Amino acid sequence: MGVIRVGVLGFGGLGQAAAMVLHPKQEMQLVAVADRGGWAYRADGLPLHELLSAVKERGTVAALPEWGHTDSDGIAQVMTQAVDGFFLALPNLPNTFMARVAQQFIRQGWQGVLVDAIKRTSAVEQLLLLHPALQQTGITYLTGCGATPGLLTAAAVLASQSFAEVLTVKITFGVGIASWEQYRSTIREDIGHLPDYTLEQARAMSDAEVEQLLARTGGLLHLENMEHADDILLERLGICSRDQVTVGGVVDTRNPKKPLSTNVQVTGRTFEGRTATHTFTLGDETSMAANVCGPAFGYLKAGVALQRRGSYGLFTSAEVMPGFVR
Ligand code: NAD
């Protein structure tokens, strides 16, 4: 496998972290980025520090001197460049957005690997319907490849192997970030999971309204029984039914320290009739960005291997083992 030419779509909190994660890698190189303001491409690799400072100062990758371009549809532009695989670090707002982006790649007749870190069950259901079209086009699309769904779902698949029957899968996450403005879409999508809100309401909130809500909660979001695609990914594999999977957690938007340790607990019955729980806990020092971008590129590497073997269509983080990017 030669050096994998990578593009990152969306250059907010996760997109920028993704660029930093890629920087020291030998096996992958960041060659393309796009955000709401435009796009940038450089066949020999984009300069990280110039890119980050262009975005910090001017708010878009289009501001990167020499290689940046202003465009209202940067995604359409980067898909015409030489890129092996894209990480879609895009907000899924509205809930149909990621499926629409996938359809844009299909219409273009693009061939390569796409990886997302999408969260909602209903969003993954839309992508599953695209399997035949992706397959026909020659796209290998891996969905749900962040932390949850993603790393923790894959861990649940491994944990289930000890059991004859899986009784429950319980995912509990703790996220700590210094400020909500670092991850605006993530926080808006999380607000959309609160009991009194819909995703559309959260999407329509102004920044001031988000700040007012966070002021009322001391910067904390307590999330329970979230609509998270871990359920459908595990159900598709026959591990358990979706109603046996629960996802919830606490997000602190004012402190990078995690409010609790992220973990997945898989409870099952062994062939001897004993009930037990396997727990996989992430180290508290690992950030949300590390636990999303690491898996996303691990799955992108696995996707490239599948693509080179002629395997196209829709795959999930639960059914493919991620690679490790050196
Ligand atoms: P953000 O708001 O910080 O950044 C979003 C970026 O997307 C911006 O650069 C914006 O310009 C760009 N963008 C928006 N619309 C676009 C368009 N039409 N064309 C091109 N670019 C566009 O977002 P974030 O907080 O980094 O979150 C990104 C996504 O990651 C969210 O959907 C979030 O739910 C997901 N996420 C997943 C996990 C997981 O574990 N699976 C964890 C955290 C975040």
Side-chain angles (χ1 to χ4, degrees):
M1 210 183 264
V3 175
I4 299 168
R5 298 163 298 179
V6 176
V8 172
L9 302 185
F11 210 67
L14 274 191
Q16 291 172 46
M20 289 186 254
V21 166
L22 276 185
H23 192 59
K25 302 288 187 190
Q26 316 290 307
E27 294 181 324
M28 285 189 182
Q29 189 174 40
L30 180 67
V31 296
V33 286
D35 64 14
R36 219 182 257 115
W39 60 287
Y41 175 80
R42 184 175 179 238
D44 295 334
L46 289 164
L48 176 71
H49 301 293
E50 288 87 331
L51 186 58
L52 293 176
S53 53
V55 173
K56 193 168 175 209
E57 281 155 32
R58 309 258 306 277
T60 169
V61 299
L64 177 68
E66 211 169 329
W67 297 288
H69 308 271
T70 301
D71 200 294
S72 60
D73 192 357
I75 296 176
Q77 298 297 333
V78 287
M79 69 173 80
T80 63
Q81 312 296 325
V83 176
D84 299 309
F86 285 100
F87 170 33
L88 313 181
L90 292 162
N92 194 37
L93 295 168
N95 197 35
T96 50
F97 184 65
M98 207 65 85
R100 288 207 325 253
V101 171
Q103 281 163 328
Q104 198 179 347
F105 276 91
I106 291 166
R107 278 198 304 278
Q108 173 74 22
W110 187 81
Q111 294 186 319
V113 181
L114 299 176
V115 171
D116 71 37
I118 211 161
K119 289 197 193 166
R120 284 192 181 251
T121 308
S122 50
V124 168
E125 280 168 335
Q126 296 162 37
L127 287 162
L128 290 170
L129 296 175
L130 296 179
H131 172 70
L134 290 164
Q135 206 171 30
Q136 224 170 7
T137 312
I139 295 172
T140 305
Y141 191 122
L142 288 101
T143 191
C145 300
T148 161
L151 184 57
L152 297 176
T153 337
V157 176
L158 284 180
S160 72
Q161 304 305 316
S162 303
F163 303 120
E165 185 192 1
V166 170
L167 303 172
T168 57
V169 175
K170 185 172 182 223
I171 292 174
T172 310
F173 62 80
V175 168
I177 51 178
S179 123
W180 85 275
E181 288 163 331
Q182 264 180 291
Y183 294 98
R184 286 165 190 267
S185 305
T186 302
I187 298 306
R188 276 211 170 74
E189 288 178 36
D190 283 345
I191 291 172
H193 284 281
L194 292 173
D196 297 337
Y197 291 84
T198 64
L199 190 60
E200 276 314 305
Q201 280 169 320
R203 183 185 174 212
M205 282 169 82
S206 67
D207 288 358
E209 286 169 328
V210 173
E211 269 150 34
Q212 278 162 19
L213 184 154
L214 294 174
R216 286 200 300 276
T217 64
L220 296 173
L221 295 175
H222 289 270
L223 301 154
E224 281 172 26
N225 288 322
M226 299 171 80
E227 183 212 317
H228 249 233
D230 309 80
D231 61 359
I232 189 178
L233 302 191
L234 296 171
E235 184 178 79
R236 267 166 54 86
L237 297 185
I239 289 172
C240 56
S241 72
R242 65 180 78 185
D243 54 13
Q244 289 166 294
V245 182
T246 52
V247 180
V250 180
V251 181
D252 188 342
T253 60
R254 295 184 178 168
N255 188 347
K257 193 170 176 295
K258 282 188 194 185
L260 53 91
S261 300
T262 297
N263 67 85
V264 53
Q265 292 184 304
V266 179
T267 301
R269 216 178 341 259
T270 67
F271 76 101
E272 304 104 324
R274 291 197 199 107
T275 301
T277 300
H278 285 336
T279 304
F280 174 68
T281 306
L282 305 185
D284 287 341
E285 296 73 17
T286 58
S287 61
M288 175 178 78
N291 291 320
V292 174
C293 299
F297 290 124
Y299 281 108
L300 203 159
K301 182 173 173 179
V304 170
L306 286 170
Q307 164 91 198
R308 290 183 182 165
R309 291 206 302 266
S311 296
Y312 312 128
L314 202 282
F315 300 85
T316 79
S317 56
E319 66 190 81
V320 173
M321 181 68 88
F324 184 82
V325 186
R326 284 186 296 268

